[in-house]
Amino acid sequence: MKTILRVFACFVLVTATIAKAETLTNDSIIQLHKLNLADSTIVAKIKASTCNFDTSVDALKTLKDAGISDEVLQAMLLVSSSVKAAPAPVVAAPAEAPHGDPNDPKAPHASGIYLYEEVDGKPKMTQLTPSRVEDVRSGGAWSVGFGGSEKNRAVIPGAHAQTQLKETEPVFYFYFAKSDASLGSTDMSATSPDDFSLGALEAHTSHDQPVRRLEISKQSLGGYHAGLNKKDVRPFTSEKIADGVFKVTPAPLKTGE
């Protein structure tokens, strides 16, 4: 369960934290243009990323001189105007501490994802700690023009997850705050396990350091696809126990997942 469990801790955060791991700037757009990527690809990248563009007259002139098309410039202007118009974030008040047995799934719990186990015949609930994606890396951009594909992968440092299990069918409980916020966070909007995907992370070595990575988007001549690769997705079932509380069980996992 080394890699699968870690995804359960962060899979909904993939879309929420990728943007934090990579911020596009004017220099980024020029670099993408130098890779000979199509304008549609660059625009898709802008829409899928957090952006911090300089759209002053002088900056636009520099971009135009670098060969940036009007289509890409318009996308940059649109993103910049929406960022300026965005309302100030609302800070949620701290939730009251739940009452009752913390190891009883039916007792109130702080919003989050919990692992359910039976230890010595007694139930045990362990809240999973989310992992933040620290990097997003691309590969294969040069091959797009030759019928290949460019993949973007979210990268999490470390070879193993903090929580590791022997069971092939672990049980999790999802607790959602009774609001529009997901799992008690203002930057997520999931309200049930159906809004989540369970993905298998790939063990990898980067710069002589062990990491785990997960494909999150793919670009080819056929178009742009945002989301997990189907081969990495693992099915699971969910059962609503109470308002905002769900029991989640993955399909039998392979050894090492």
Side-chain angles (χ1 to χ4, degrees):
M1 302 301 155
K2 295 178 181 178
T3 57
I4 287 289
L5 289 183
R6 238 12 217 160
V7 180
F8 252 123
C10 72
F11 56 164
V12 77
L13 293 178
V14 169
T15 55
T17 60
I18 284 170
K20 297 177 183 177
E22 179 184 36
T23 301
L24 293 186
T25 63
N26 292 34
D27 289 339
S28 303
I29 298 302
I30 294 175
Q31 291 175 12
L32 293 174
H33 174 71
K34 289 181 178 179
L35 291 174
N36 293 322
L37 296 178
D39 289 343
S40 59
T41 302
I42 298 176
V43 170
K45 180 70 173 173
I46 292 173
K47 293 179 179 179
S49 305
T50 293
C51 304
N52 184 20
F53 295 134
D54 178 0
T55 55
S56 63
V57 174
D58 289 340
L60 291 175
K61 182 179 183 302
T62 300
L63 289 166
K64 192 66 176 177
D65 292 342
I68 306 303
S69 70
D70 289 340
E71 180 184 356
V72 174
L73 291 177
Q74 289 172 6
M76 293 173 65
L77 289 169
L78 182 61
V79 168
S80 297
S81 62
S82 63
V83 170
K84 292 178 181 178
V90 177
V91 179
E96 294 184 4
H99 301 285
D101 184 355
N103 292 314
D104 181 0
K106 296 181 180 179
H109 284 74
S111 57
I113 301 175
Y114 293 74
L115 168 67
Y116 176 85
E117 300 174 283
E118 288 194 4
V119 180
D120 296 329
K122 297 181 179 180
K124 179 182 178 181
M125 301 279 287
T126 303
Q127 184 173 12
L128 301 185
T129 302
S131 290
R132 288 202 173 274
V133 175
E134 294 193 357
D135 194 9
V136 176
R137 298 176 187 173
S138 302
W142 62 272
S143 66
V144 175
F146 299 94
S149 62
E150 176 189 7
K151 298 179 180 179
N152 288 321
R153 296 181 176 90
V155 179
I156 299 175
H160 308 295
Q162 295 178 1
T163 304
Q164 299 179 32
L165 300 176
K166 297 179 181 179
E167 293 81 0
T168 59
E169 296 182 74
V171 175
F172 299 90
Y173 280 87
F174 283 48
Y175 294 86
F176 294 89
K178 296 180 181 180
S179 68
D180 291 335
S182 164
L183 298 181
S185 173
T186 58
D187 61 355
M188 295 185 285
S189 59
T191 55
S192 83
D194 293 335
D195 296 319
F196 289 70
S197 293
L198 176 60
L201 294 172
E202 174 191 17
H204 187 68
T205 300
S206 177
H207 304 294
D208 296 326
Q209 296 296 321
V211 299
R212 288 158 289 153
R213 63 185 189 178
L214 183 67
E215 182 181 322
I216 55 173
S217 66
K218 183 177 181 180
Q219 172 69 33
S220 66
L221 291 177
Y224 177 81
H225 173 263
L228 303 187
N229 191 316
K230 290 183 179 180
K231 71 178 181 62
D232 297 328
V233 177
R234 302 294 182 265
F236 61 85
T237 59
S238 64
E239 175 187 358
K240 185 174 182 179
I241 304 300
D243 186 19
V245 182
F246 297 82
K247 179 181 178 181
V248 175
T249 306
L253 303 171
K254 299 178 182 179
T255 301
E257 290 188 331

